[in-house]
Amino acid sequence: MMRKDLLGLEELEAQEILDILDTAEAFREVIDRPIKKVPTLRGKTVANLFYEPSTRTRISFELAEKRLSADSFSFSKATSSVVKGETLKDTVKNIEAMMVDFVVVRHGASGAPHFIAKNIAASVINAGDGQHEHPTQGLLDMFTMRRVKGDLAGLKVVIVGDVTHSRVARSNIWGLTKLGADVHVAGPTTLTPREIEKMGVTTTWKVEEALEGADVVNVLRIQKERQDANLLPSLREYAIHFGVTQERLKRAKSDVVIMHPGPMNRGVEIAQDVAEDERNVILEQVTNGVAARMAVLYLLNGGKPVSSEKAMEAVEV
Ligand code: CP
């Protein structure tokens, strides 16, 4: 990967995305082994900067780093000098002074990882910035779809929910459209940005209509913490009109793959029995997240993309 940073899928070429997905396959083999560790990043240091809460992404990056033999530490806003008023730039400059090689950052402000990337020499990985992008979530979602369904070209993927506030939706849309998937977006018109169709997706407020013949449904979390403009009806109304239920899923293909980035609001965007449906791959997404993040760290460190049975040898040197 001829890049210093991974800030979004918007700027990646289709071939770069394919290289990451192929390489993630090699790392998925590593994490399926009894001993889940390779020496690929020995001697490298990773700082995980989380200015917003996270369960999956933070733990997944921490595990990916450990499994690549990197040294790493995690920083959370609440227990740092940010609460004493330190600026983002000063914080990252101080962390850089401790000779880190990678900075993984989650921040509530769209563009914060780009600002950091411009100010430090270390590689920066966006772990979710505001309403902008969550590129490693997009990659792990595509990796999971590809493992179940094969080639993504022509696959009908339906993203349901609050697209306006969703960095996961934007990264999925950028990545999936570059790889030729047929992407549909469904949700309340108040939570569907008008310009989203310019990204090459079909939109509707009718979830049933969007789900017709779907291969994959990716259900977005209703982000209660970002609803500040009364764009959302009550959660009960949302569930009635837009929730993904077994009844609505009858319109999709019988082997539809059900996805959710987590954390789930059961009974709101996803019905309890859909969250438990045997066609869901929600925990598989979490497992694949570690492999996808290992692949990103390995490639940003200058590793060559691997896609063959030679994969294991390549990542072990
Ligand atoms: N999918 C996701 O970003 O989850 P977390 O907020 O728990 O990291």
Side-chain angles (χ1 to χ4, degrees):
M1 207 173 176
M2 303 296 289
R3 291 178 185 272
K4 173 172 110 42
D5 312 300
L6 176 65
L7 301 176
L9 298 190
E10 178 179 3
E11 52 264 30
L12 293 196
E13 301 292 334
Q15 189 55 51
E16 290 177 284
I17 296 173
L18 288 169
D19 286 343
I20 297 169
L21 301 183
D22 289 344
T23 305
E25 201 61 61
F27 285 110
R28 176 66 214 234
E29 285 174 38
V30 171
I31 64 175
D32 281 337
R33 293 175 181 172
I35 298 181
K36 305 167 178 31
K37 198 154 175 139
V38 285
T40 319
L41 287 192
R42 195 160 49 201
K44 300 286 178 177
T45 306
V46 188
N48 300 300
L49 270 52
F50 279 76
Y51 283 79
E52 270 195 338
S54 167
T55 299
R56 278 147 290 272
T57 311
R58 185 171 60 79
I59 295 172
S60 181
F61 267 110
E62 287 174 359
L63 272 179
E65 292 148 14
K66 284 180 179 29
R67 287 172 178 171
L68 291 168
S69 306
D71 298 313
S72 69
F73 62 90
S74 291
F75 158 107
S76 68
K77 182 179 158 187
T79 55
S80 74
S81 290
V82 174
V83 293
K84 300 178 200 163
E86 187 167 59
T87 65
L88 178 61
K89 188 172 176 184
D90 281 340
T91 299
V92 294
K93 283 285 189 193
N94 276 270
I95 287 171
E96 185 179 43
M98 296 181 223
M99 307 293 183
V100 304
D101 301 288
F102 295 91
V103 173
V104 174
V105 61
R106 165 165 293 191
H107 204 288
S110 302
H114 306 66
F115 172 78
I116 296 172
K118 281 196 189 113
N119 281 286
I120 64 172
S123 285
V124 177
I125 302 174
N126 181 359
D129 64 323
Q131 298 171 203
H132 175 234
E133 279 223 43
H134 191 347
T136 58
Q137 180 72 42
L139 290 165
L140 76 89
D141 287 347
M142 284 188 281
F143 180 62
T144 304
M145 290 176 208
R146 204 174 71 152
R147 290 196 109 217
V148 183
K149 292 284 184 185
D151 193 356
L152 298 180
L155 210 63
K156 180 169 180 182
V157 180
V158 183
I159 300 170
V160 182
D162 171 6
V163 174
T164 292
H165 296 100
S166 179
R167 52 200 179 205
V168 174
R170 283 180 185 73
S171 287
N172 265 262
I173 293 169
W174 283 121
L176 285 163
T177 53
K178 281 172 202 262
L179 297 193
D182 174 23
V183 184
H184 295 244
V185 163
T189 46
T190 49
L191 295 172
T192 307
R194 261 189 218 150
E195 72 276 15
I196 209 82
E197 286 190 344
K198 291 190 190 140
M199 293 172 72
V201 302
T202 306
T203 63
T204 175
W205 59 269
K206 294 177 188 158
V207 178
E208 292 84 353
E209 184 182 294
L211 286 173
E212 196 70 54
D215 295 292
V216 178
V217 55
N218 201 351
V219 188
L220 301 175
R221 177 173 76 87
I222 287 297
Q223 303 188 33
K224 296 171 198 160
E225 73 278 18
R226 295 194 215 272
Q227 306 296 337
D228 50 7
N230 294 323
L231 297 173
L232 185 68
S234 70
L235 294 182
R236 204 176 97 76
E237 277 179 292
Y238 182 89
I240 292 168
H241 296 293
F242 305 103
V244 175
T245 58
Q246 289 293 358
E247 189 55 35
R248 292 197 167 110
L249 270 183
K250 285 182 186 157
R251 308 286 282 268
K253 287 193 178 147
S254 58
D255 62 349
V256 66
V257 174
I258 302 159
M259 304 178 72
H260 192 299
M264 286 189 278
N265 297 302
R266 290 170 184 258
V268 182
E269 70 266 7
I270 187 164
Q272 174 71 13
D273 56 0
V274 175
E276 298 298 329
D277 191 293
E278 60 183 17
R279 295 169 294 179
N280 98 64
V281 292
I282 296 167
L283 293 179
E284 192 64 14
Q285 286 172 263
V286 177
T287 307
N288 288 336
V290 179
R293 290 172 177 122
M294 287 171 83
V296 167
L297 285 160
Y298 162 81
L299 292 169
L300 287 177
N301 193 46
K304 289 197 167 60
V306 284
S307 59
S308 68
E309 56 287 351
K310 292 270 177 207
M312 305 306 296
E313 290 165 37
V315 298
E316 284 184 14
V317 292

